[in-house]
Amino acid sequence: MLTILTITFPIFAMVGIGYLTVTKGLFRPADTGVLGGWVMNLALPALMFQALAARPISEVFHPGYMGAYMFGGVLTALITYIWFGFTTDSSRRGVAMMGTYCPNSGFIGYPLFVILFPDDAGLILAMNVLVENIVLIPLALIALDASKPDDGTGQSTMARLGTVFLGMTKRPLMIAIALGLVASAFGGNLPEAVDHLVGLMASSAAAVALFVIGGSLVGVPFQGNLKLAWQMVVGKLLIMPLMTGLSMLALAALGFGFTDNLRDAVLISGALPTMVITAVLAQEVGRGAVASLAILLATITSFFTLNALLLVLM
């Protein structure tokens, strides 16, 4: 247990530092937005580009890993769609679902992967981001769109989804993955100066990401539905890891191979707390408070659930 706490303590201590420094006024809440922009638009893209470019193209994709992660999220979405259909109204069901199957791979997952799987951390993050942007986030947006009143534009859900997909292709993370794949296909031998520059940017991702998570939790409103928020936490920290594990076992039985690192990584990915973007998207339907509350509770509770999972895996 002491070994496990040695792994997880720096992760959550850095989150605490972010929270305390913003609370005490050393940084303003708005500063976390600037730092978050650095992580999402420069540091993490540099990290993923470097991780993909340095590997042969044949080693970049692991269908078993990506399948287990994807099916874990989709099954969780199906279960929570049914559950929240009985426990809450349709205007909140989309937000509640999204909070249960959209993990925080970039800000919590990657720093943890760096400690546990230093050689594979960038690759794991890249595969997670692909699954999240191609399957999980669009699925969440469909659920959110279904809960919106008619905006009078006459635009269909599919048309709006097409706009969303087009926007995703322009994100720095997705562009970095595409460029990394191209570099991998051509051997990935970057000039030494460029490689050092990319590495310098990538090295800042983990610490700054954790700081941003802590700072962004300052001032989270508690006037949301506490009962609904806790249901979202249970879905994210218990149901999704279970569905991801079952998906992994099913794919392994079908012949998909998993190394020890990838087996552990996909289970940890499924057990990560809710991604911060959930609150931003929930604001579009007037449910930002309950989403923010769920993120806060999931982040705090994940200290205990992730430690318990690591204790089982180790």
Side-chain angles (χ1 to χ4, degrees), residues 7 10 22 54 84 129-130 132 157 160 177 187 204 206 209 238 262 306:
I7 294 171
V22 173
F84 290 123
V129 167
L130 280 173
E132 289 161 8
T157 298
R160 285 192 287 268
I177 289 175
S204 69
L238 296 180
L262 291 181
L306 284 173

Side-chain angles (χ1 to χ4, degrees), residues 21-152:
T21 53
V22 173
T23 300
K24 297 300 183 182
L26 296 177
F27 288 88
R28 298 169 299 170
D31 294 337
T32 62
V34 176
L35 294 173
W38 164 263
V39 173
M40 293 300 294
N41 296 322
L42 290 170
L44 285 181
L47 164 79
M48 286 192 284
F49 172 78
Q50 187 179 54
L52 295 175
R55 294 172 179 267
I57 192 69
S58 60
E59 297 180 8
V60 168
F61 294 113
H62 295 266
Y65 178 95
M66 297 178 73
Y69 189 48
M70 179 187 71
F71 286 122
V74 171
L75 287 172
T76 304
L78 177 61
I79 292 170
T80 54
Y81 179 84
I82 296 171
W83 173 259
F84 290 123
F86 288 104
T87 61
T88 190
D89 58 88
S90 60
S91 67
R92 295 192 293 178
R93 180 164 60 183
V95 172
M97 287 173 57
M98 181 170 57
T100 64
Y101 65 87
C102 287
N104 199 338
S105 296
F107 288 83
I108 297 289
Y110 173 69
L112 190 55
F113 298 147
V114 167
I115 297 174
L116 293 170
F117 323 111
D119 295 333
D120 296 321
L123 176 62
I124 292 167
L125 177 63
M127 290 191 291
N128 283 6
V129 167
L130 280 173
V131 172
E132 289 161 8
N133 282 274
I134 295 174
V135 179
L136 300 186
I137 293 177
L139 188 61
L141 293 175
I142 291 174
L144 281 179
D145 193 72
S147 67
K148 290 181 182 178
D150 187 1
D151 60 6

Side-chain angles (χ1 to χ4, degrees), residues 2-18 107-108 111-112 115 206-207 209-211 303 307 310:
L2 182 60
T3 301
I4 293 170
L5 288 175
T6 301
I7 294 171
T8 57
F9 174 77
I11 303 293
F12 289 93
M14 195 68 206
V15 173
I17 290 171
F107 288 83
I108 297 289
L112 190 55
I115 297 174
L210 292 170
F211 181 90
F303 173 78
N307 277 316
L310 290 177

